[in-house]
Structure formats: C-alpha cells, structure tokens
C-alpha cells in the first residue's frame, strides 16, 4: 500500500494572517506531495516494507535496507514531519498548553515564557535547513532540540510533540529572509490541544 499525502486538516487560508494561503498551498500540495512520492518510489523497490508504518521505519532506520535507508530517512522523515506540522497548527491556535503537558513544560523549563524563548532561539539560530522540536521520552520528560534536513526525532528514540519547519520553503514567500518574524507568527497558530493529545498518547 502506497502512502498517501494526508489531507490538510483546514483550508489553505485558515492560518491567515499569520501564515499565508499561498505558502500553505505550495508547502502542502507540492513539497509534502514530493516527499510522499519519493518515499513511495523508494519503498517500491522493497515491497516487504510497504506494510510498515512510517513511524516504524523511522524508529528503526538501521533495519531499513541500506540501499534505501537514506531515502527513507529523507523522504519518510519529510512525509511524517509535515504530517505533524499540519496537525499541530490550526485557525484557533496560540495561547498556552494546559494539563499534564503544562506541568511537564514547567518542570523542564521553569515556565511557559522560558520555554517559548528557548524554543524561539533554537529555531532562529538553526544553521541550514531543518526542524525545531518539542519532543518527549516515554516517561514524559520533554526537551527542545533541532534536527537537520528531514531527520525525525523518532530516529533518536524521542516522540515528537511540536514541530517547527524552518526550511526556507516554509516562509520565504511571505517573510523572505525574516525567519524571526515567521517564528513569532507561527506561535499564533499552534494547536496546543493537539500537542497535549500527542503528549498523553506517548
Ligand atoms: Mn517543509
């Protein structure tokens, strides 16, 4: 079974004015589609892997045959990272997390403002193309970290909760080189309910 591009959970313009419709459309329909297609193309050469989920593959990259391991890392990562990215944004976003996740963030960073500052700084200073994450371990200890290219926290044994795509394709149309403005805008569309759900389900 080939992997399918997950439908956007909202319209292209749903994240306006923070993230513009044109960027969301191209990012989802072209970039995310391309990762999906290239993941499928790689897996076609190893039909025995087509029944495995992308989460399984990314969590055990060393068990993926060497000739397609890099393709699965790049395009499987791209496929899954973008799925998480769309899921954790929404038109009624912003604000702060509640419940168990709020407690975990306060335990790790002191308070939400310190978490936000640390995450923003990690995203602003990441060199090259990659992602900034809030991830957790099974025990619920959360951390901020970055990955290069399309590498997934799953491949480091972590469970991704909140991704921020800081490839230029995520913001260049609207923000050009102003990455810090993009990061500030993105906070307004974070769907904390979904992030909390992922934390509870870890
Ligand atoms: Mn992207």
């Amino acid at each position: 079974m080939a992997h399918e591009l997950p439908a956007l959970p909202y319209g292209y313009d749903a994240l306006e004015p923070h993230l513009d419709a044109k960027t969301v459309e191209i990012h989802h329909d072209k970039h995310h589609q391309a990762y999906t297609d290239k993941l499928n193309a790689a897996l076609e050469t190893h039909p025995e892997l087509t029944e495995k989920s992308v989460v399984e593959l990314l969590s055990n990259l060393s068990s993926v045959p060497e000739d397609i391991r890099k393709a699965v890392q790049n395009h499987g990562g791209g496929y899954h990272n973008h799925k998480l990215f769309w899921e954790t944004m929404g038109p009624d976003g912003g604000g702060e997390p509640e419940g168990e996740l709020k407690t975990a963030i306060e335990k790790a960073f002191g308070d939400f403002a310190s978490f936000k500052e640390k995450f923003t700084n990690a995203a602003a200073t990441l060199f090259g193309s990659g992602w900034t994450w809030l991830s957790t371990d099974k025990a619920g200890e959360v951390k901020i970290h970055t990955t290069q290219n399309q590498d997934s926290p799953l491949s480091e044994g972590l469970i991704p909760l909140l991704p921020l795509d800081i490839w230029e394709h995520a913001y260049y149309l609207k923000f050009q080189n102003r990455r810090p403005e993009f990061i500030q805008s993105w906070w307004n569309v974070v769907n904390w309910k979904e992030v909390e759900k992922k934390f509870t389900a870890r």
Side-chain angles (χ1 to χ4, degrees), residues 7-28:
L8 255 196
Y10 33 75
Y12 298 130
D13 62 356
L15 307 178
E16 293 268 12
H18 311 293
L19 301 192
D20 65 293
K22 195 73 197 166
T23 297
V24 171
E25 179 181 349
I26 294 172
H27 199 172
H28 177 267

Side-chain angles (χ1 to χ4, degrees), residues 160-197:
L161 300 174
L162 177 66
L164 175 55
D165 187 345
I166 41 185
W167 282 56
E168 283 187 345
H169 69 227
Y171 61 88
Y172 205 82
L173 274 183
K174 180 178 164 89
F175 297 99
Q176 290 85 49
N177 62 326
R178 304 187 305 278
R179 190 197 285 179
E181 273 182 51
F182 161 63
I183 299 167
Q184 287 309 322
S185 293
W186 166 80
W187 285 112
N188 295 311
V189 294
V190 172
N191 177 356
W192 283 110
K193 283 276 162 281
E194 181 61 32
V195 183
E196 287 165 19
K197 216 169 91 186

